[in-house]
Amino acid sequence: MRESFSEAAAPDECGGRQLDGWLEAMAQGDRSALEALYRQTSPAIYGFALSICRNEQDAEDVLQDTYLQALKGAERYRSQGKPMAWLLTITRNLCLMRLRERGKTVSEEEWRTPAAWQESCTHEDRLLLETAMTGLSDQERQVVLLHAVTGLKHREIAALLELPLPTVLSKYSRALKKLRLAMKEDD
């Protein structure tokens, strides 16, 4: 099961060399390296999967499949200084495959408030948040979820989504304005 977002350090804090080392150890059959990699990267992987799939169950399935694929592909992995990009590429591909299986669309009914928000929100707040989130574009939703749920910094999100940092900052700012407006309208 996925650990809470607050329990693991952001992948960037851990360092690419450490992630590379774990991937190399996984290629040599070290299962403890898989566990260490999972502990450090699962919040970002899950948040990224959730931002694409927009469904908790699918995101959790993709999270597990990502590490299975990483374990199977560890022998073929060649370090280029960006192990997180390799993991996120696997995640993105698995998410897109899952969406294609569903006919390339995810209905609004499948959208659920992330688990990290569920504990601190009342039922009414969750409904309001779900409604407000549907007013965001896919990229705005991804940026907000990656920042708020996984705790990634804007520069990390920019690298992850392959967008310029100013674009990520403007999308985040625009999304917050939309969310505030949606919540004011509901009051």
Side-chain angles (χ1 to χ4, degrees), residues 34-183:
L34 175 61
E35 181 182 351
L37 181 73
Y38 180 87
R39 286 187 186 277
Q40 287 300 317
T41 60
S42 62
I45 298 293
Y46 174 76
F48 187 55
L50 183 61
S51 73
I52 295 171
C53 293
R54 296 175 18 176
N55 176 290
E56 282 184 4
Q57 186 61 48
D58 286 344
E60 288 188 11
D61 290 346
V62 166
L63 173 72
Q64 300 306 320
D65 291 344
T66 296
Y67 291 100
L68 290 173
Q69 291 294 324
L71 183 60
K72 288 178 186 175
E75 290 180 4
R76 294 185 308 277
Y77 172 74
R78 298 294 172 252
S79 176
Q80 296 177 353
K82 298 186 179 193
M84 205 48 202
W86 183 71
L87 289 170
L88 292 169
T89 299
I90 293 170
T91 305
R92 179 184 300 141
N93 291 340
L94 290 169
C95 287
L96 294 176
M97 283 176 27
R98 186 160 295 261
L99 291 175
R100 275 192 292 273
E101 289 169 3
R102 292 179 174 261
K104 294 187 181 181
T105 60
V106 179
S107 72
E108 291 303 321
E109 295 167 8
E110 290 178 303
W111 171 254
R112 294 191 183 106
T113 306
W117 293 342
Q118 289 181 358
E119 295 145 9
S120 62
C121 291
T122 66
H123 178 69
E124 293 79 19
D125 288 341
R126 280 195 302 274
L127 290 175
L128 176 61
L129 186 56
E130 289 173 17
T131 302
M133 291 292 280
T134 61
L136 301 179
S137 71
D138 287 339
Q139 278 192 336
E140 289 169 340
R141 186 179 301 106
Q142 282 186 316
V143 169
V144 168
L145 286 173
L146 288 170
H147 184 69
V149 176
T150 69
L152 290 176
K153 297 174 182 134
H154 294 293
R155 65 179 167 75
E156 295 169 324
I157 295 168
L160 184 76
L161 299 178
E162 299 174 351
L163 295 171
L165 179 60
T167 301
V168 169
L169 291 170
S170 68
K171 286 186 180 298
Y172 183 73
S173 177
R174 191 175 313 119
L176 289 182
K177 286 177 185 175
K178 286 181 180 180
L179 289 171
R180 282 187 198 110
L181 181 62
M183 290 184 171

Side-chain angles (χ1 to χ4, degrees), residues 1-57:
M1 185 67 184
R2 166 179 69 77
E3 69 183 271
S4 76
F5 297 106
S6 59
E7 292 176 17
D12 196 48
E13 293 172 19
C14 178
R17 286 188 208 148
Q18 183 67 57
L19 298 179
D20 276 340
W22 288 328
L23 288 166
E24 184 179 313
M26 285 169 47
Q28 297 170 4
D30 183 352
R31 297 293 174 148
S32 65
L34 175 61
E35 181 182 351
L37 181 73
Y38 180 87
R39 286 187 186 277
Q40 287 300 317
T41 60
S42 62
I45 298 293
Y46 174 76
F48 187 55
L50 183 61
S51 73
I52 295 171
C53 293
R54 296 175 18 176
N55 176 290
E56 282 184 4
Q57 186 61 48

